[in-house]
């Protein structure tokens, strides 16, 4: 079953039955709150993570967009008026006051870890540490890639595909990220997921992947310009290291949209990656790569290896 929003399946849970047990994260800047709880009518054991995100303001002046805040449909209460300064509380109509709700159910302990506040540590991963610590750890604990294969095999989110190149080596699917509501262009967020199933992450890239990487960049940017009318030099194209999911994918979002995970402690620009591999084909097998770890079993393993712990010295914001 499929409706006009591309929803292909009815959920097994009813959101109105969600019972909150814990607030995992309340980010007042991004206006998101991450909740842990259960659906008691389904199970007392299975945990659910629910993320609520207030939607971004639209950017046109009609009543369906930001103009709706200045119509009879919105009620106002003055907080204070002092000379030329005024502060009001506005209660806009529900159509322009939507909340995006993301659900993970049932959520594993690893999901709960990922979505909870933890102390963070910057580690420097040498190629040897990658081989001896990170790779074996990831092989045993990584998140399931079923959702990725469902997209690649057109079993899920098919209606949401923005662009596809089916070539097994250089092809990819461009699709809205889970984080994007799919509507407001200001917060556009797309993922390019490659068809080649042999690339786990940045670490695996060599010069043989240059045709794939340039294809993703060039065709991805073109598709975004055609469909969303965003100029190619206004889009940020990058890769996470470490990613959450070890099937190679690339993030696309507009420069004027600050999204979580875009800061320099996590992101590598696709242009820089292509340049590095062009200069040195095995750059990512030789490089020491920094990344941020939460308190976790993997961090303990890094400490066990007596790795030099680097005091935070990157001054960028780490969302
Ligand atoms: O950190 P990493 O590079 O692994 O980022 C993976 C991205 O995949 C994140 O931005 C997620 O929001 C996105 N994502 C995760 N899941 C489970 C899904 C999904 O089921 N569908 C889509 N379209 N994106 C997802």
């Amino acid at each position: 079953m499929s409706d006009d929003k591309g929803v292909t399946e009815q959920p097994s849970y009813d959101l109105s039955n969600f019972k909150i047990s814990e607030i995992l994260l309340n980010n007042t800047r991004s206006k998101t709150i991450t909740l842990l709880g259960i659906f008691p009518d389904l199970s007392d054991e299975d945990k659910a993570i629910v993320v609520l995100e207030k939607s971004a303001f639209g950017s046109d002046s009609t009543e369906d967009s930001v103009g709706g805040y200045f119509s009879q449909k919105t009620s106002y209460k003055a907080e204070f008026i002092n000379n030329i300064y005024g502060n009001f509380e506005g209660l806009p109509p529900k159509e322009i006051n939507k909340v995006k709700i993301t659900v993970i159910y049932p959520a594993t302990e690893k999901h709960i870890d990922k979505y909870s506040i933890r102390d963070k540590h910057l580690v420097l991963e040498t190629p040897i540490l990658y081989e001896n610590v990170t790779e074996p750890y990831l092989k045993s604990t990584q998140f399931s890639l079923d959702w990725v294969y469902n997209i690649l095999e057109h079993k899920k989110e098919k209606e949401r595909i923005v662009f596809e190149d089916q070539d097994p080596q250089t092809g990819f699917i461009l699709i809205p990220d889970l984080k994007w509501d799919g509507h407001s262009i200001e917060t556009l967020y797309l993922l390019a997921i490659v068809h080649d199933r042999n690339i786990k992450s940045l670490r695996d890239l060599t010069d043989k992947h240059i045709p794939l990487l340039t294809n993703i960049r060039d065709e991805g940017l073109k598709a975004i310009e055609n469909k969303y009318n965003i100029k190619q030099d206004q889009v940020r194209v990058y890769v996470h290291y470490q990613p959450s999911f070890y099937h190679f994918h690339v993030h696309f979002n507009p420069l004027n949209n600050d999204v979580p995970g875009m800061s320099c402690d996590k992101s590598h620009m696709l242009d820089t990656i292509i340049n590095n591999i062009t200069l040195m084909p095995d750059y990512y097998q030789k490089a020491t790569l920094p990344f941020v770890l939460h308190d976790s079993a993997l961090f303990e393993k890094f400490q066990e290896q007596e790795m030099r712990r680097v005091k935070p010295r990157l001054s960028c914001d780490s969302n």
Side-chain angles (χ1 to χ4, degrees):
M1 189 172 59
S2 161
D3 67 16
D4 60 350
K5 293 197 181 95
V7 175
T8 49
E9 212 176 279
Q10 289 304 318
S12 57
Y13 44 81
D14 177 351
L15 273 170
S16 57
N17 288 335
F18 180 62
K19 286 277 163 301
I20 301 169
S21 59
E22 196 180 331
I23 295 175
L24 296 178
L25 203 64
N26 186 359
N27 189 330
T28 51
R29 201 171 113 209
S30 64
K31 308 278 191 294
T32 57
I33 189 160
T34 307
L35 306 165
L36 184 67
I38 55 169
F39 291 103
D41 51 323
L42 298 180
S43 160
D44 288 335
E45 307 288 311
D46 289 342
K47 307 251 175 52
I49 293 172
V50 175
V51 184
L52 304 181
E53 177 181 356
K54 298 225 180 195
S55 54
F57 293 104
S59 55
D60 66 79
S61 55
T62 62
E63 278 210 7
D64 301 332
S65 185
V66 77
Y69 288 87
F70 308 100
S71 71
Q72 296 303 324
K73 292 183 188 161
T74 294
S75 59
Y76 312 96
K77 193 176 113 207
E79 300 282 352
F80 73 84
I81 311 281
N82 183 349
N83 194 260
I84 60 171
Y85 304 101
N87 233 347
F88 299 82
E89 188 183 80
L91 204 57
K94 56 185 184 199
E95 298 75 36
I96 54 168
N97 198 18
K98 288 183 192 151
V99 171
K100 177 175 182 289
I101 306 174
T102 302
V103 181
I104 303 177
Y105 181 74
T108 63
E109 283 305 314
K110 195 167 154 72
H111 285 113
I112 297 169
D113 245 26
K114 176 174 148 90
Y115 281 83
S116 306
I117 311 175
R118 294 277 186 277
D119 275 345
K120 295 175 181 176
H121 306 270
L122 190 79
V123 296
L124 287 181
E125 183 195 67
T126 61
I128 291 178
L129 279 166
Y130 173 70
E131 206 180 300
N132 294 342
V133 181
T134 318
E135 200 183 18
Y137 178 81
L138 295 174
K139 273 191 183 143
S140 63
T141 65
Q142 68 167 314
F143 284 129
S144 160
L145 295 176
D146 288 352
W147 71 271
V148 174
Y149 300 143
N150 283 339
I151 291 174
L152 292 176
E153 291 162 18
H154 293 183
K155 289 183 184 156
K156 296 276 160 105
E157 304 190 48
K158 186 170 176 228
E159 306 78 356
R160 288 159 40 90
I161 293 177
V162 172
F163 174 84
E164 176 164 16
D165 174 338
Q166 296 194 333
D167 187 285
Q169 257 79 53
T170 58
F172 65 97
I173 287 183
L174 187 68
I175 195 159
D177 190 282
L178 184 69
K179 292 196 201 85
W180 188 36
D181 65 10
H183 304 296
S184 96
I185 303 296
E186 296 75 23
T187 58
L188 179 127
Y189 194 147
L190 299 180
L191 277 187
I193 302 176
V194 302
H195 277 300
D196 185 344
R197 298 191 182 195
N198 299 311
I199 316 169
K200 290 187 291 303
S201 74
L202 186 60
R203 272 278 180 217
D204 291 338
L205 295 176
T206 67
D207 58 340
K208 82 169 189 217
H209 300 114
I210 291 175
L212 166 71
L213 300 174
T214 50
N215 190 37
I216 292 175
R217 180 190 59 193
D218 298 345
E219 295 306 317
L221 288 172
K222 249 190 256 167
I224 289 174
E225 184 162 32
N226 290 341
K227 177 148 188 184
Y228 303 104
N229 203 17
I230 303 179
K231 293 205 175 67
Q232 300 192 19
D233 63 358
Q234 294 182 324
V235 180
R236 184 189 294 124
V237 190
Y238 60 96
V239 168
H240 279 163
Y241 195 76
Q242 297 284 338
S244 300
F245 300 96
Y246 290 85
H247 173 105
F248 189 68
H249 55 272
V250 177
H251 302 247
F252 289 75
N253 40 65
L255 290 178
N256 57 11
N257 177 23
D258 290 351
V259 298
M262 59 161 227
S263 52
C264 63
D265 56 12
K266 181 140 188 175
S267 292
H268 297 250
M269 298 279 282
L270 185 58
D271 281 314
T272 309
I273 296 171
I274 294 170
N275 190 50
N276 286 342
I277 303 175
T278 306
L279 293 172
M280 191 197 285
D282 56 355
Y283 180 91
Y284 288 102
Q285 290 76 58
K286 290 199 166 139
T288 292
L289 297 175
F291 69 89
V292 170
L293 263 175
H294 297 260
D295 276 341
S296 65
L298 180 57
F299 181 58
E300 281 165 26
K301 285 186 194 298
F302 265 85
Q303 284 183 309
E304 277 164 27
Q305 294 277 324
E306 289 184 337
M307 207 208 78
R308 189 165 70 90
R309 263 176 82 179
V310 179
K311 301 278 173 254
R313 55 159 200 239
L314 301 179
S315 60
C316 59
D317 175 21
S318 64
N319 281 295

